[in-house]
Amino acid sequence: GQQLNQSPQSMFIQEGEDVSMNCTSSSIFNTWLWYKQEPGEGPVLLIALYKAGELTSNGRLTAQFGITRKDSFLNISASIPSDVGIYFCAGRTSGGSNYKLTFGKGTLLTVNP
Amino acid sequence: EAGVAQSPRYKIIEKRQSVAFWCNPISGHATLYWYQQILGQGPKLLIQFQNNGVVDDSQLPKDRFSAERLKGVDSTLKIQPAKLEDSAVYLCASSFGRGETQYFGPGTRLLVL
């Protein structure tokens, strides 16, 4: 099956620092998604990318869809304590009868105030 | 707008026992998903419904797991009998249609002893 390699596995940073994480795949995806999951909650969608090369921002978050369609990255600028959580990338195939999401293993982000 | 509701939030059972989880999707959402999230992993799709029909159950362990969405709204996921390796968070998600943004519920945390 399809697998996503997400790195780093965890990050411990100081408040105000910028953060970068990425996701690579051996397969092509039509859509890349980035989710954040906080303790005791389900994942929440942060950014969706639909075209190769697309660069999209959502506040302090910026994500890009790699031109090979096999990778994506997420940047968080000027981190704050509420950025703490697990960030997941997800790739989606389309066509046929379903639009299956494949998730990475997540990047655990800890922000030290 | 109310989000995806799930119950119970926590469940502890012994191996070989049965357990059922309930999900109420966002009103009007035709597509419903059940995911299994093992500690330290991203969510893995178990089954996807479109209205009351199954679209994809290729990763559902059908010898012990079953799911239904009889009236195309609420859904239940059952495990019978449970094994130790079934300990995980079971997430329900819904979307307006296939390929649309998935909204996740808070999950049910299952511990099998």
Side-chain angles (χ1 to χ4, degrees):
Chain A
Q2 295 168 321
Q3 290 189 347
L4 297 184
N5 298 308
Q6 189 171 347
S7 65
Q9 204 169 16
S10 63
M11 302 182 74
F12 188 95
I13 62 171
Q14 294 296 122
E15 182 177 359
E17 290 184 354
D18 296 343
V19 171
S20 184
M21 58 192 78
N22 68 79
C23 212
T24 59
S25 169
S26 57
S27 304
I28 288 174
F29 288 105
N30 297 320
T31 303
W32 281 95
L33 305 161
W34 285 92
Y35 284 85
K36 179 187 178 186
Q37 187 174 27
E38 296 185 15
E41 301 296 329
V44 174
L45 182 65
L46 298 174
I47 291 181
L49 302 157
Y50 301 103
K51 293 194 308 185
E54 180 181 353
L55 184 71
T56 297
S57 293
N58 178 8
R60 294 178 295 106
L61 277 60
T62 301
Q64 184 157 29
F65 191 145
I67 57 173
T68 65
R69 296 165 63 194
K70 292 183 178 181
D71 62 317
S72 178
F73 73 75
L74 174 71
N75 286 345
I76 305 173
S77 63
S79 59
I80 58 178
S82 62
D83 290 334
V84 165
I86 304 176
Y87 291 79
F88 291 98
C89 62
R92 185 170 68 201
T93 54
S94 60
S97 61
N98 67 60
Y99 295 79
K100 181 180 292 187
L101 282 185
T102 301
F103 282 83
K105 292 186 177 182
T107 294
L108 173 61
L109 178 63
T110 304
V111 179
N112 191 32
Chain B
E1 177 183 270
V4 176
Q6 290 188 247
S7 68
R9 292 296 307 273
Y10 305 91
K11 191 74 176 178
I12 301 175
I13 62 173
E14 295 188 348
K15 60 183 179 183
R16 292 188 289 273
Q17 285 187 324
S18 301
V19 65
F21 312 127
W22 173 82
C23 173
N24 184 249
I26 293 172
S27 177
H29 280 194
T31 313
L32 186 147
Y33 315 78
W34 283 102
Y35 289 86
Q36 181 192 57
Q37 186 176 23
I38 292 172
L39 186 65
Q41 305 285 324
K44 183 185 84 171
L45 181 69
L46 292 175
I47 189 167
Q48 177 183 343
F49 291 94
Q50 179 68 16
N51 296 308
N52 61 349
V54 175
V55 174
D56 183 354
D57 63 357
S58 58
Q59 299 191 96
L60 186 74
K62 298 181 188 64
D63 58 334
R64 297 183 301 107
F65 286 64
S66 64
E68 60 183 14
R69 193 185 184 199
L70 292 176
K71 296 183 179 180
V73 180
D74 294 7
S75 177
T76 56
L77 175 69
K78 296 179 182 177
I79 308 175
Q80 180 179 9
K83 292 185 176 181
L84 297 178
E85 58 261 36
D86 297 333
S87 295
V89 176
Y90 291 85
L91 294 162
C92 179
S94 71
S95 63
F96 185 73
R98 293 198 298 267
E100 302 287 335
T101 299
Q102 295 184 27
Y103 296 88
F104 285 82
T108 295
R109 279 143 190 81
L110 174 67
L111 179 60
V112 182
L113 301 175

